[in-house]
Amino acid sequence: MIALGKEAEEEEGRGDDARFGDWQTPLAFVKKRHLETIEGSKMLTQTWRMKERMKTVSVALVMCLNVGVDPPDVVKISPCARMECWIDPQTLSQQKALETIGSNLQRQYERWQPRARYKQSLDPTVDEVKKLCTSLRRNAKDERVLFHYNGHGVPRPTVNGEIWVFNKSYTQYIPLSIYDLQVWMGSPSIYVYDCSNAGIILDTFKQFSTQRDHETTSSAISTGSSAVPTTSSQRCNGLPSPAPPPPAKNCIQLAACGPQAWDLALDLCLAQLNGILDEKKAFEHSPFFAEQLTAFQVWLNYGSEKRSPPEQLPIVLQVLLSQVHRLRALELLGRFLDLGPWAVSLALSVGIFPYVLKLLQSSARELRPLLVFIWAKILAVDSSCQADLVKDNGHKYFLTVLSDANMPAEHRTMAAFVLAKIVNNYQHGQEATLTGNLIAICLEQLNDPHHLLRQWLALCLGKVWTSFDAARWCGVRDSAHEKLYELLQDPIPEVRAAAVYSLGTFINNSFERTDHANSIDHGVAMTLAGVIHDASPIVRRELVVALSGLVVQFLVQFIAVAQQFMSEEKGRDNSAAGAAPESTLFASQAALGPAGMRRSASTRSLRNMLSPSHMTSAEGVLLGEGTATGGLKRVNSNSSVASLMGSSYGSVYMQIWRVLFQLTKDPISQVASLALTLMNHVRLQASVAGLPRQMSSMKLSSSSSSSHSAPSSPSNKPGSHMPQNAEASESEFTAPKNLPNRSSTLPRPSSHASLTSASSSTSDSGYTSQFSRSRKMFDKGPSLADDRIDEAEADSDVASKNHVVSTEFFAWCCRHFAQPVMRLPEESDPESDSHHEQHFRLLKSSRVRMLASEEQKRATHTRLDDQIFINRNPHVPNALCFHPYETHLAVADRDTVSVWEWEHGVRINCFSNKNPRHTRITALDFINAHDRALVLTGADDGSVRVWRNYFTEIPGSKLELVTAFQAVTDILHSSRNAGTVLCWEQNSGHLLASGDSRTIKVWDTQREIRVHDICTGAESCVTSLSCDSLDKSTVIASCADGSIRIFDQRMSDARVMTLRGHSGWVVKAQLVKYGSKSTQIVSGGVNGDVRFWDMRSTDCLDSMHTIHGLTTLDIHEHANLLACGSAQQCVGVYNFRGDNLSTIKYHEGFMGQRIGPISCLAFHPFRVKLAAGSTDTFVSVYSNPSQRVR
């Protein structure tokens, strides 16, 4: 460790830190959304609430005083405390004193419970106590009975759990077992033991209670467990037993050790009496509570879940209503609740709830941040408190906080969270907050700079109008959906997902269908469709759920769309000779491919039709293209299906169906699964209705109307709004002849997908369909029995279908408040283990760069042909990549990534990239290489994937897919494809993606959005990308037409310069360091010509010829080397002066076989190492002769 530190300091002395500032280099894909599963916390079972409110209906007052006779084990000094319930027994006769004390004690209890039934037993025997207890239990039934025992006239309780009473003649003390007493009293019961050494019976009482718990659950409470030991000071004050707190194990501890603290506090107060009465001194308030708060603060500084709970917690609750200590107590309570859900549960179990609920009535502004924080912690753990808040109008408090512009954004965020929990699946909460103008308050702050506030405002809106039509129309009047559109472009993925979630609930809760409501829903759905290419998986997951709301509302129309595609697919199947019956687009899910759809010739043609270039909306706009953030761009589509729809509202259903189809091919399996489930739900409804072989008279609006009015009711008019097009080609919609002449209407959306009775008039049915005698998998055919299903039954299960698919995004967002937020994150704590590990990794990286600099100095005049590693890959390698700081080599072939430890020749991992069939990996890189590296892959379908834990020494950690998205969306196929080409820039966190496309997509991985679309201006594909790591704006792209194009991202028209000199396909072009700036470009063409350029000029500075038939090229930026691979089965290594340093033709060994045609090459980023992959599936690593590793 010290050696690494010294070498790092030497490197800093050479100015290397200015270039390789690893500490300042940002990390990508390390947010919580990347590290956690998107699911809610496991809810703890809350036991702090009483199942039902019980009353203490009977009270037994057992007084064993034996006035005038002291117990044999008690030696009383003179003077001593002798008053019982403020009565001196010596001033009255023995019997009169006993009766007076009993009456005073009863009056004290009557102040607490005046309606209870009281029975006194003065100096009783065992039989009298038994008779009293059994009688009270019999009369109380299941209610609570209180047993008060005063034993100041009898001996102390025994260690065996016995208290004392008398015999009939008062000549002996008779023991009474606590176990017998429990049996007589039954449960629920309260026991108050007012005697000397009451604490010694606690253990035996617990033991007896546990023994009886097998038969019944006792609710005997004595300061939290069983007994309340009462001190002489309490007897002097004549105070009755305080209200029993809920049972908790920490209260048992207080019963054992608490009285000493209270005795001390009371003694300190009473000690001042002489000074106050005799010397007229001012009374000094006891520091007891302040000291207890200090002790609680000390516990918080070192406490954790593993330690014993703080004994001061009940005392903290007692001072919450005290104005002197309230503020400090709330601060400490907030810190305690921030420790985690266990702390919240513990606080609730000892009675925090009524205190903090009552404090919501306070108008003190200084309490608002603390109370909002405390309630956020409570509701994050136990959401059942929402009913109590609404009942006591507590929601108004949080509405006030949220609307207060002077409150910090963090506190308004917590208020928005509390309100979202109040309205979550609780109609009374929705109604109360709607009356409190919650929607308007949220909409006013949607553009707040604090991203967490924006997120929770959107989530709160989504919850308040979930299945609540009044709130939805209130939002419509305030243009809530249009204001939420802006959040779809938010730089924070969680905010975008929250906006999609809110818009999804917005379109999934309209109970009364009107043209206006349908028009709004269509507009929202088409806007949501624009986020299909969002780079964040959580946004795309919420997109599927949001669109499911539209599907549920317009199920009949989507059934018609599904039937249309199914009918068209059948027509193609019938026209294809020898077509396999399984080529139907909507085959059973068991036969679906990785992307969720079967790959057949017919589906490929449909997939081309569903490509983004054909996805037009009602106004003829392109979804997901044209803007940097997935906006809309006007195009003209020649798709037959698009022309079929014309400009009617049927385009909306067709477009959403296409979007869902695209989502079934999402690289994230959870997104694809959700979309497939939703489509299968619609297809199942369509299959039950029967697959029509011919569609005619399909309309979405009246033929006499030229407007774009939406259907008035998808439930009541199921078939009157299907798309119409008189110019549809016959091949798409012409059904086979000789079909039965039978018509049927579309089914109403119901759990049975039942068919409504067919109308005799085709004008009302909207379209007619005919059924074939032969059916396929989903072709149920007409059924007269199904047609007569009652409409009431059809509508009975609509509510259950409102959640065809769902996610736990909202519950996952709530986890933020259930977890500690005051604690310093471990990665930011300089004393944490993870911080020390990161520091070691960065020092190791500096050492690797320093040692590599020695190799780089002699690289330009040293051979590079010593084979130090060779092994066979499972398939032909397509891409290679060295880890910059570990001895790892990643090798990608068709759909597999293998990671080799090249120094020792060991394969440390091999995993599937899970890209679709008939695609291959064409790009490979390491992300966060200076820390914990991630593997980046790009497949030629335009998708990229990021993998974590490709190699780890931590036991139990598994390979995980961090994220995946469609980086290139406008793929153009040609005779020779470049696949997906990527360029990763660690310092800026930007990912450049292109390939078989006319554009270069620039993705910001921190925000997970596309920030720039650079039009290449070329009519050919992009073969390589390079960017300037210093100014982060210059982009170099080589093209298949022989040109090299330079772009500047800061310009509106990014094209700066085009360099021409190569006569054919440019294999690679790369920026290299020249002086203090990266201004030199090295490029190589397929003909073997390598050219050197200065990006400030269009003229070629120099050129050289290498190997004819160049297939791959790589350039070592720091060592001024380039390697050329050829189909002629050789690798040439050259320096920038044109000298041929090495030519590699054979595998290692005497008379070794020739290497195969070279498929890929890669230099180590710093060390002088070259990896080569060939078509014979071999992968080799070459080094300088002096660097040979064995």
Side-chain angles (χ1 to χ4, degrees):
M1 191 73 169
I2 297 177
L4 286 176
K6 291 181 179 179
E7 292 168 347
E9 290 176 1
E10 294 175 1
E11 184 179 10
E12 291 176 3
R14 292 193 295 268
D16 189 64
D17 257 4
R19 189 176 181 183
F20 302 106
D22 291 341
W23 279 108
Q24 289 75 33
T25 302
L27 298 175
F29 304 111
V30 291
K31 304 296 183 183
K32 284 188 176 181
R33 61 181 180 270
H34 304 123
L35 304 176
E36 298 178 350
T37 303
I38 307 301
E39 61 183 11
S41 301
K42 295 181 179 179
M43 300 304 296
L44 301 176
T45 302
Q46 299 299 332
T47 58
W48 62 274
R49 290 183 184 270
M50 297 179 62
K51 295 183 179 180
E52 58 182 5
R53 186 179 296 275
M54 291 187 296
K55 297 180 181 179
T56 303
V57 297
S58 301
V59 178
L61 303 178
V62 179
M63 312 296 293
C64 296
L65 296 179
N66 197 13
V67 177
V69 179
D70 291 335
D73 60 345
V74 176
V75 178
K76 294 187 177 181
I77 61 175
S78 182
C80 65
R82 293 185 178 275
M83 300 185 71
E84 298 282 351
C85 296
W86 301 103
I87 301 295
D88 188 352
Q90 295 180 349
T91 62
L92 300 173
S93 64
Q94 180 177 0
Q95 186 63 28
K96 184 66 174 180
L98 184 61
E99 294 175 355
T100 304
I101 293 172
S103 298
N104 277 11
L105 179 62
Q106 179 174 333
R107 283 195 294 271
Q108 292 174 6
Y109 270 109
E110 286 175 345
R111 292 200 302 266
W112 167 61
Q113 181 60 283
R115 298 182 180 180
R117 179 186 180 187
Y118 293 89
K119 290 289 186 178
Q120 298 182 24
S121 184
L122 307 179
D123 289 347
T125 64
V126 173
D127 292 337
E128 291 173 346
V129 173
K130 178 180 180 180
K131 180 179 180 180
L132 174 65
C133 294
T134 54
S135 174
L136 293 180
R137 169 50 58 198
R138 182 171 58 253
N139 294 329
K141 297 182 180 179
D142 294 332
E143 298 295 340
R144 189 164 50 202
V145 178
L146 187 146
F147 180 86
H148 183 106
Y149 171 78
N150 186 321
H152 295 149
V154 294
R156 300 170 181 173
T158 66
V159 295
N160 295 327
E162 298 169 323
I163 56 178
W164 299 94
V165 292
F166 303 97
N167 62 358
K168 292 183 179 180
S169 58
Y170 297 98
T171 58
Q172 292 180 346
Y173 298 108
I174 305 300
L176 172 60
S177 172
I178 297 296
Y179 181 85
D180 293 337
L181 183 62
Q182 290 179 352
V183 173
W184 301 336
M185 286 290 295
S187 62
S189 302
I190 301 177
Y191 298 84
V192 180
Y193 296 98
D194 184 6
C195 58
S196 300
N197 292 349
I200 66 175
I201 64 174
L202 288 178
D203 292 337
T204 54
F205 195 103
K206 284 175 53 180
Q207 180 182 351
F208 293 154
S209 296
T210 304
Q211 184 177 348
R212 296 186 63 248
D213 276 345
H214 298 290
E215 304 173 0
T216 181
T217 302
S218 175
S219 61
I221 302 175
S222 177
T223 314
S225 172
S226 309
V228 178
T230 309
T231 63
S232 60
S233 300
Q234 291 173 303
R235 295 194 301 273
C236 293
N237 287 284
L239 297 177
S241 173
K249 63 180 182 180
N250 59 309
C251 294
I252 296 174
Q253 297 169 355
L254 287 172
C257 63
Q260 290 82 357
W262 287 105
D263 283 349
L264 176 61
L266 186 58
D267 289 344
L268 291 176
C269 293
L270 296 177
Q272 301 183 56
L273 290 177
N274 291 334
I276 294 174
L277 297 177
D278 300 337
E279 304 176 13
K280 307 299 181 184
K281 291 182 179 180
F283 177 75
E284 297 180 2
H285 292 281
S286 172
F288 173 76
F289 287 111
E291 291 172 352
Q292 292 298 311
L293 291 178
T294 301
F296 187 51
Q297 183 177 356
V298 172
W299 187 94
L300 288 174
N301 293 335
Y302 304 99
S304 65
E305 185 177 6
K306 299 178 181 179
R307 295 189 59 189
S308 299
E311 298 177 354
Q312 299 80 17
L313 183 58
I315 299 176
V316 174
L317 302 183
Q318 291 288 332
V319 300
L320 285 178
L321 301 181
S322 170
Q323 293 185 356
V324 178
H325 304 287
R326 177 185 299 166
L327 189 62
R328 185 185 179 194
L330 285 175
E331 291 177 353
L332 295 177
L333 180 60
R335 287 181 54 189
F336 177 73
L337 298 180
D338 191 56
L339 294 178
W342 68 270
V344 177
S345 299
L346 181 59
L348 289 173
S349 67
V350 298
I352 180 183
F353 186 77
Y355 293 91
V356 293
L357 184 62
K358 186 176 182 61
L359 284 175
L360 293 180
Q361 302 173 8
S362 173
S363 59
R365 289 184 58 87
E366 64 273 12
L367 299 183
R368 289 182 180 179
L370 298 172
L371 287 175
V372 169
F373 181 83
I374 289 172
W375 272 104
K377 288 295 181 180
I378 292 175
L379 287 173
V381 175
D382 186 1
S383 58
S384 66
C385 302
Q386 59 185 179
D388 303 272
L389 285 172
V390 175
K391 180 180 178 181
D392 290 6
N393 291 323
H395 64 280
K396 296 181 179 179
Y397 188 88
F398 301 101
L399 286 171
T400 302
V401 174
L402 182 59
S403 60
D404 188 355
N406 296 323
M407 290 291 293
E410 292 80 2
H411 301 145
R412 285 181 285 141
T413 300
M414 290 183 282
F417 164 72
V418 171
L419 290 168
K421 295 290 285 187
I422 289 176
V423 302
N424 182 28
N425 299 326
Y426 187 54
Q427 185 174 357
H428 294 300
Q430 292 173 310
E431 295 171 351
T433 53
L434 180 63
T435 306
N437 208 21
L438 173 61
I439 293 179
I441 294 173
C442 291
L443 292 177
E444 289 175 358
Q445 305 180 60
L446 276 183
N447 295 323
D448 191 273
H450 194 267
H451 70 89
L452 201 57
L453 177 57
R454 299 195 304 272
Q455 173 185 342
W456 275 104
L457 289 174
L459 290 173
C460 187
L461 288 172
K463 284 297 182 181
V464 75
W465 57 47
T466 297
S467 302
F468 188 33
D469 218 33
R472 167 193 158 91
W473 285 111
C474 179
V476 170
R477 288 189 292 271
D478 291 341
S479 301
H481 55 294
E482 296 178 359
K483 295 176 181 178
L484 285 170
Y485 291 165
E486 299 180 9
L487 295 186
L488 297 178
Q489 320 296 338
D490 197 273
I492 305 301
E494 289 85 351
V495 179
R496 300 199 300 273
V500 174
Y501 175 90
S502 183
L503 291 171
T505 59
F506 184 83
I507 62 178
N508 190 24
N509 65 352
S510 182
F511 297 99
E512 182 179 356
R513 279 287 144 193
T514 62
D515 289 349
H516 183 45
N518 294 339
S519 177
I520 292 174
D521 288 346
H522 293 158
V524 173
M526 294 307 297
T527 303
L528 286 175
V531 299
I532 184 176
H533 294 303
D534 194 290
S536 177
I538 61 173
V539 178
R540 302 198 302 275
R541 272 193 291 263
E542 293 310 307
L543 174 61
V544 179
V545 178
L547 294 180
S548 70
L550 189 78
V551 172
V552 170
Q553 296 294 331
F554 298 92
L555 181 59
V556 174
Q557 281 71 19
F558 280 99
I559 289 175
V561 173
Q563 288 178 326
Q564 176 178 329
F565 280 112
M566 294 162 72
S567 176
E568 182 179 342
E569 187 70 14
K570 288 180 181 179
R572 279 194 294 268
D573 289 347
N574 293 335
S575 63
E582 63 183 17
S583 61
T584 304
L585 170 62
F586 306 111
S588 62
Q589 185 173 357
L592 296 176
M597 309 303 288
R598 183 176 299 282
R599 303 183 181 278
S600 62
S602 57
T603 57
R604 281 196 294 273
S605 61
L606 180 58
R607 191 158 48 247
N608 294 333
M609 179 185 66
L610 298 180
S611 64
S613 62
H614 294 284
M615 296 180 61
T616 57
S617 70
E619 289 79 14
V621 293
L622 179 66
L623 301 181
E625 299 297 324
T627 63
T629 54
L632 305 179
K633 175 183 177 182
R634 297 185 178 274
V635 298
N636 293 323
S637 173
N638 295 325
S639 170
S640 59
V641 175
S643 63
L644 165 72
M645 296 181 298
S647 59
S648 67
Y649 263 92
S651 300
V652 174
Y653 310 123
M654 194 72 73
Q655 292 298 346
I656 299 304
W657 190 256
R658 291 171 175 173
V659 169
L660 291 174
F661 183 81
Q662 288 289 321
L663 289 170
T664 61
K665 301 184 295 181
D666 196 276
I668 294 291
S669 60
Q670 297 92 332
V671 178
S673 177
L674 289 173
L676 185 61
T677 300
L678 181 57
M679 294 189 73
N680 282 342
H681 173 75
V682 179
R683 295 199 296 265
L684 180 61
Q685 305 292 324
S687 67
V688 174
L691 297 180
R693 305 289 293 187
Q694 182 181 18
M695 292 185 179
S696 62
S697 303
M698 289 178 293
K699 301 178 181 179
L700 281 174
S701 59
S702 175
S703 59
S704 60
S705 174
S706 60
S707 64
H708 296 172
S709 61
S712 60
S713 174
S715 298
N716 299 330
K717 296 183 180 181
S720 60
H721 305 288
M722 289 306 299
Q724 176 188 13
N725 180 24
E727 300 178 0
S729 62
E730 183 179 358
S731 61
E732 292 176 342
F733 294 99
T734 300
K737 299 179 181 180
N738 301 326
L739 293 178
N741 187 13
R742 180 178 296 177
S743 63
S744 173
T745 59
L746 279 175
R748 294 175 54 84
S750 69
S751 60
H752 305 284
S754 59
L755 301 178
T756 59
S757 299
S759 174
S760 59
S761 173
T762 58
S763 61
D764 292 335
S765 64
Y767 75 94
T768 59
S769 58
Q770 294 180 333
F771 294 86
S772 172
R773 294 184 182 273
S774 61
R775 306 185 196 122
K776 285 196 176 181
M777 184 181 303
F778 293 103
D779 197 351
K780 179 181 178 181
S783 173
L784 296 178
D786 289 344
D787 290 345
R788 299 189 180 96
I789 292 181
D790 185 75
E791 289 189 4
E793 183 182 1
D795 293 335
S796 63
D797 204 24
V798 172
S800 65
K801 299 188 340 175
N802 289 342
H803 303 285
V804 179
V805 292
S806 62
T807 65
E808 295 188 45
F809 174 70
F810 179 80
W812 175 74
C813 292
C814 294
R815 288 176 56 183
H816 171 79
F817 296 97
Q819 298 169 349
V821 296
M822 295 183 181
R823 186 185 307 168
L824 188 68
E826 186 177 6
E827 59 272 11
S828 302
D829 185 1
E831 299 300 327
S832 65
D833 293 339
S834 62
H835 182 84
H836 290 308
E837 292 172 1
Q838 183 184 23
H839 182 63
F840 176 79
R841 286 193 296 269
L842 297 183
L843 290 177
K844 181 180 180 181
S845 302
S846 299
R847 180 175 180 270
V848 169
R849 290 193 297 268
M850 185 188 65
L851 296 178
S853 63
E854 300 297 327
E855 298 182 22
Q856 297 166 11
K857 292 178 182 179
R858 53 179 188 269
T860 57
H861 55 274
T862 308
R863 290 167 39 223
L864 185 63
D865 56 3
D866 192 8
Q867 190 178 69
I868 61 174
F869 167 83
I870 183 172
N871 220 313
R872 184 184 292 273
N873 202 58
H875 302 284
V876 176
N878 297 326
L880 304 169
C881 186
F882 278 102
H883 191 295
Y885 308 113
E886 302 287 348
T887 55
H888 297 166
L889 174 66
V891 183
D893 49 53
R894 188 174 55 211
D895 64 346
T896 306
V897 177
S898 301
V899 183
W900 298 86
E901 210 286 344
W902 52 266
E903 276 195 346
H904 299 91
V906 179
R907 187 170 66 181
I908 58 179
N909 202 348
C910 181
F911 58 91
S912 171
N913 191 52
K914 300 186 184 301
N915 46 294
R917 288 185 303 171
H918 310 298
T919 62
R920 59 191 179 94
I921 303 174
T922 59
L924 187 64
D925 207 343
F926 283 101
I927 297 178
N928 302 340
H930 61 294
D931 197 73
R932 287 190 171 94
L934 309 174
V935 175
L936 169 69
T937 64
D940 60 1
D941 63 345
S943 63
V944 298
R945 291 169 175 81
V946 179
W947 299 90
R948 177 175 52 238
N949 296 335
Y950 79 92
F951 171 73
T952 179
E953 298 177 355
I954 302 176
S957 57
K958 300 185 299 182
L959 181 77
E960 297 178 9
L961 180 63
V962 179
T963 188
F965 60 96
Q966 199 73 18
V968 183
T969 56
D970 51 350
I971 297 178
L972 302 175
H973 297 283
S974 60
S975 58
R976 181 180 180 185
N977 297 325
T980 296
V981 178
L982 302 177
C983 179
W984 167 248
E985 174 49 50
Q986 184 71 49
N987 291 323
S988 64
H990 284 183
L991 176 66
L992 280 66
S994 188
D996 300 322
S997 173
R998 302 291 188 268
T999 59
I1000 301 173
K1001 313 289 185 183
V1002 182
W1003 297 88
D1004 187 337
T1005 58
Q1006 298 293 338
R1007 297 181 289 173
E1008 298 190 58
I1009 58 176
R1010 191 170 70 245
V1011 296
H1012 206 70
D1013 275 359
I1014 302 176
C1015 180
T1016 62
E1019 295 299 325
S1020 60
C1021 61
V1022 175
T1023 59
S1024 71
L1025 290 171
S1026 178
C1027 60
D1028 191 346
S1029 60
L1030 298 179
D1031 64 16
K1032 305 173 185 178
S1033 61
T1034 305
V1035 177
I1036 309 297
S1038 62
C1039 301
D1041 61 359
S1043 63
I1044 300 167
R1045 299 171 186 265
I1046 304 175
F1047 307 94
D1048 192 334
Q1049 300 183 51
R1050 298 169 296 183
M1051 302 170 58
S1052 57
D1053 184 5
R1055 287 178 289 186
V1056 175
M1057 186 184 304
T1058 300
L1059 307 178
R1060 300 186 183 276
H1062 295 282
S1063 58
W1065 184 292
V1066 180
V1067 177
K1068 185 171 185 177
Q1070 180 174 322
L1071 272 170
V1072 295
K1073 187 77 172 177
Y1074 185 77
S1076 60
K1077 295 183 179 180
S1078 299
T1079 59
Q1080 193 174 28
I1081 301 173
V1082 180
S1083 63
V1086 70
N1087 295 325
D1089 54 326
V1090 175
R1091 296 180 178 271
F1092 298 86
W1093 312 80
D1094 191 311
M1095 58 185 299
R1096 295 167 292 187
S1097 172
T1098 58
D1099 297 331
C1100 177
L1101 299 179
D1102 197 2
S1103 65
M1104 65 178 184
H1105 189 78
T1106 57
I1107 303 174
H1108 185 71
L1110 200 65
T1111 57
T1112 180
L1113 171 72
D1114 198 32
I1115 300 162
H1116 199 303
E1117 178 183 358
H1118 304 289
N1120 293 338
L1121 295 178
L1122 60 90
C1124 305
S1126 170
Q1128 306 299 324
Q1129 300 175 273
C1130 66
V1131 177
V1133 182
Y1134 304 84
N1135 58 26
F1136 283 6
R1137 296 190 300 268
D1139 301 330
N1140 185 355
L1141 302 179
S1142 303
T1143 299
I1144 305 170
K1145 294 184 178 181
Y1146 295 92
H1147 288 308
E1148 184 183 31
F1150 178 74
M1151 297 295 292
Q1153 66 178 13
R1154 294 185 60 87
I1155 61 177
I1158 304 301
S1159 59
C1160 51
L1161 291 172
F1163 273 112
H1164 193 284
F1166 299 106
R1167 303 182 66 179
V1168 184
K1169 301 289 184 291
L1170 174 65
S1174 55
T1175 58
D1176 58 2
T1177 71
F1178 277 97
V1179 177
S1180 303
V1181 176
Y1182 300 94
S1183 177
N1184 304 125
S1186 59
Q1187 298 297 315
R1188 187 177 183 86
V1189 178
R1190 287 298 181 208

